[in-house]
Amino acid sequence: MNHDFNPPRGSNLRNKRKRRSLLPLYMVAFAIIAISVPFIFTNITPNTEAHTEAPPKEIVPEIRREFIEGAVSQGDSISVLLDEYLTLQEIDDLNRKSRSVFPLSRICTGQPYKICLTEGEFERFEYDINSDEQLIIIRGTDNFDVSRQPIDYMIKTDLVRGTIETSLFDAVTSTDEAPELAMNLADIFAWDIDFILDIRKGDSFQALVEKRFRDGEPAGYGRILAAEFNNRGETFRAFYYRDGESRAGYYDENGESVRKMFLKAPLSFSRISSGFTMRRYHPITKTWKAHPAIDYAAPTGTPIKAVGDGTIVKIAKDRNNGRHIKLRHNGTYQTLYLHMNSFARGMKKGKRVSQGQVIGYVGSTGLATGPHLCFRMYKHGRPVNPSRVKAKSAKPVSEANLTAFKSTIEPLLARFESRTMVARSDHQSGETIEQQ
């Protein structure tokens, strides 16, 4: 008996065909694996060049700075302001170093200052000497660097215009400008216009003014480059100009100096309480007598200015005149200032004073019913009416610079003229048009 098992022939054929049909798939899979292997091992192999870690960056600590700002208070000294940051020896050294630049004993109440600290240590001190200059103190390695520097302002030039209703002061402030501008305008025209006696309703002014900005905030006024004042039908003009090496000043459109020997008044703003007369009833003595003076009523403490350059020939106090000062201006003229509340610092007999310098303050000492200044002027020893004195002008622009002066003021004059024409047109049409 044959026990060998022989599968059916058809079954073997099917298995052979199945193996043949799978063979191409095996070959494709093998090819894919063969191609992928290099890439797989490439990715596995570390790339030392691409993945090398950079050394950690050095962390620089932030420098801590602190600024302390304020205004000098009454009783403050440099020692009080810097006591927390400097030793007594350093403050003493600083006082000596500053003496030739700006004596630290002269710091004034109300003036702004700034202290700069680095990591809690003193680095810098800034103090506004005035509206134009700063005192700068910087700590060096072994010493202090002390200097005076101009304050860094951003300047905008603006044309300001107004009409008098009551006073120059009110006219300026009604245009949203500061009272300081009224004082500056009055100073420019103080030789030609008495802003107490001469002002009339309807008078007008315009001025080309530098407006200062500091750290983005308004910081007062700079120079008045040009100004015009129409007073009772007469036009006065002044242009700021430096004639060669001379000190800058104001000149009219013809180059004549607006500065004269005497100011028109010793006070900027007040009112006349009694005029120049040879017969007046005295309210205290109850008698009729000459009053060869002009009385200016003003609040106690109002600054009194010397009307001209001169020398103090008398400074005293008595029962009738109270505190008073007498100035000799030259061999011809003298002026007398009576009933002062107090004298300005440093006033003494023999001292030279400049025109416009404050010599004292309005008061009511002596025989006075209220605070006022009694102002008198003498010519060759005899009393004269100050408001009628015709004072001589200072030197005009030199011939060498006159052409340059006229070229400089030409565009300024054009701005004034254009504004004047607009104002006339507006007045005729009954409209108000503001142009810049």
Side-chain angles (χ1 to χ4, degrees):
M1 175 181 284
N2 188 357
H3 296 283
D4 290 337
F5 173 74
N6 293 314
R9 182 182 178 97
S11 176
N12 289 336
L13 288 173
R14 282 195 299 270
N15 289 336
K16 285 180 181 179
R17 288 186 188 131
K18 190 181 289 186
R19 281 195 294 270
R20 286 193 196 104
S21 64
L22 292 175
L23 183 61
L25 293 175
Y26 294 149
M27 293 179 68
V28 170
F30 179 78
I32 291 171
I33 292 170
I35 293 171
S36 302
V37 166
F39 292 99
I40 293 171
F41 282 99
T42 300
N43 291 335
I44 293 173
T45 304
N47 187 341
T48 56
E49 189 173 311
H51 291 277
T52 301
E53 291 186 6
K57 291 184 179 180
E58 184 180 352
I59 300 174
V60 179
E62 184 179 350
I63 297 175
R64 182 168 55 89
R65 286 192 168 87
E66 186 179 355
F67 301 97
I68 301 160
E69 300 182 66
V72 178
S73 300
Q74 190 167 3
D76 279 352
S77 64
I78 196 67
S79 299
V80 172
L81 296 177
L82 300 181
D83 180 60
E84 291 185 37
Y85 318 106
L86 299 178
T87 65
L88 290 176
Q89 182 62 52
E90 287 174 324
I91 292 174
D92 186 54
D93 293 343
L94 186 56
N95 268 310
R96 285 199 299 270
K97 184 74 181 289
S98 300
R99 199 167 295 151
S100 60
V101 180
F102 178 80
L104 296 176
S105 59
R106 286 170 53 189
I107 63 173
C108 295
T109 301
Q111 289 298 102
Y113 69 86
K114 181 193 290 186
I115 300 171
C116 307
L117 306 177
T118 300
E119 297 296 338
E121 297 293 326
F122 176 87
E123 178 189 351
R124 181 185 180 99
F125 176 75
E126 300 176 4
Y127 167 79
D128 286 6
I129 297 171
N130 49 43
S131 60
D132 298 312
E133 281 190 304
Q134 275 185 317
L135 174 70
I136 305 293
I137 298 172
I138 301 175
R139 184 174 211 162
T141 305
D142 301 315
N143 211 332
F144 293 102
D145 180 43
V146 182
S147 62
R148 294 174 73 139
Q149 298 179 16
I151 297 174
D152 187 21
Y153 290 111
M154 191 277 283
I155 302 294
K156 175 188 174 184
T157 303
D158 198 10
L159 191 58
V160 179
R161 179 188 180 199
T163 301
I164 307 297
E165 292 294 330
T166 55
S167 68
L168 176 62
F169 185 91
D170 290 340
V172 168
T173 55
S174 68
T175 63
D176 295 328
E177 300 295 338
E180 178 190 349
L181 181 57
M183 302 293 290
N184 295 344
L185 281 170
D187 286 342
I188 291 174
F189 294 109
W191 294 278
D192 293 308
I193 302 170
D194 184 334
F195 285 92
I196 303 157
L197 282 174
D198 299 339
I199 294 298
R200 297 291 183 273
K201 182 178 180 179
D203 289 350
S204 61
F205 70 89
Q206 53 183 338
L208 193 60
V209 184
E210 289 181 341
K211 294 183 177 180
R212 292 170 165 175
F213 295 84
R214 190 176 183 184
D215 299 327
E217 297 295 325
Y221 300 97
R223 300 170 300 176
I224 295 179
L225 302 178
E228 178 183 275
F229 200 95
N230 295 295
N231 176 232
R232 295 193 286 184
E234 187 175 1
T235 299
F236 299 91
R237 286 172 173 160
F239 300 90
Y240 187 81
Y241 185 73
R242 184 174 182 181
D243 184 13
E245 296 301 317
S246 302
R247 185 178 179 181
Y250 287 95
Y251 302 86
D252 67 16
E253 60 266 46
N254 299 313
E256 296 293 331
S257 176
V258 301
R259 178 185 172 94
K260 296 179 175 61
M261 183 178 178
F262 297 121
L263 300 175
K264 290 282 281 184
L267 304 179
S268 295
F269 297 100
S270 65
R271 65 180 177 84
I272 300 296
S273 56
S274 183
F276 188 96
T277 177
M278 299 311 293
R279 183 173 170 79
R280 186 192 72 154
Y281 184 75
H282 197 285
I284 295 180
T285 62
K286 310 298 183 183
T287 58
W288 289 91
K289 58 189 300 185
H291 184 254
I294 296 178
D295 286 351
Y296 294 94
T300 298
T302 301
I304 299 168
K305 301 176 183 179
V307 295
D309 297 340
T311 302
I312 297 177
V313 294
K314 185 180 181 182
I315 179 168
K317 179 183 179 181
D318 59 40
R319 180 178 176 275
N320 294 329
N321 298 320
R323 292 186 180 88
H324 58 281
I325 286 179
K326 191 172 190 177
L327 299 180
R328 183 181 68 246
H329 301 284
N330 52 27
T332 304
Y333 289 99
Q334 292 182 329
T335 52
L336 184 60
Y337 310 78
L338 306 177
H339 307 302
M340 291 183 179
N341 182 63
S342 60
F343 304 121
R345 181 183 295 181
M347 295 297 113
K348 61 182 179 179
K349 187 175 180 180
K351 180 180 177 64
R352 288 279 302 171
V353 296
S354 302
Q355 186 180 67
Q357 182 176 345
V358 175
I359 58 174
Y361 303 90
V362 169
S364 53
T365 57
L367 294 180
T369 57
H372 74 285
L373 169 68
C374 179
F375 175 62
R376 304 188 180 204
M377 180 175 282
Y378 299 89
K379 182 177 181 180
H380 298 301
R382 306 183 71 171
V384 293
N385 188 341
S387 63
R388 295 183 180 178
V389 172
K390 299 295 183 182
K392 295 181 179 179
S393 297
K395 291 181 180 180
V397 174
S398 63
E399 286 291 333
N401 294 314
L402 188 58
T403 301
F405 166 76
K406 291 188 174 182
S407 297
T408 299
I409 71 168
E410 186 176 356
L412 307 180
L413 266 173
R415 291 192 70 175
F416 280 168
E417 291 294 344
S418 64
R419 294 284 294 207
T420 302
M421 290 174 66
V422 169
R424 288 173 182 165
S425 174
D426 296 345
H427 180 72
Q428 291 171 0
S429 64
E431 298 177 354
T432 300
I433 303 174
E434 187 65 21
Q435 295 185 358
Q436 290 291 348

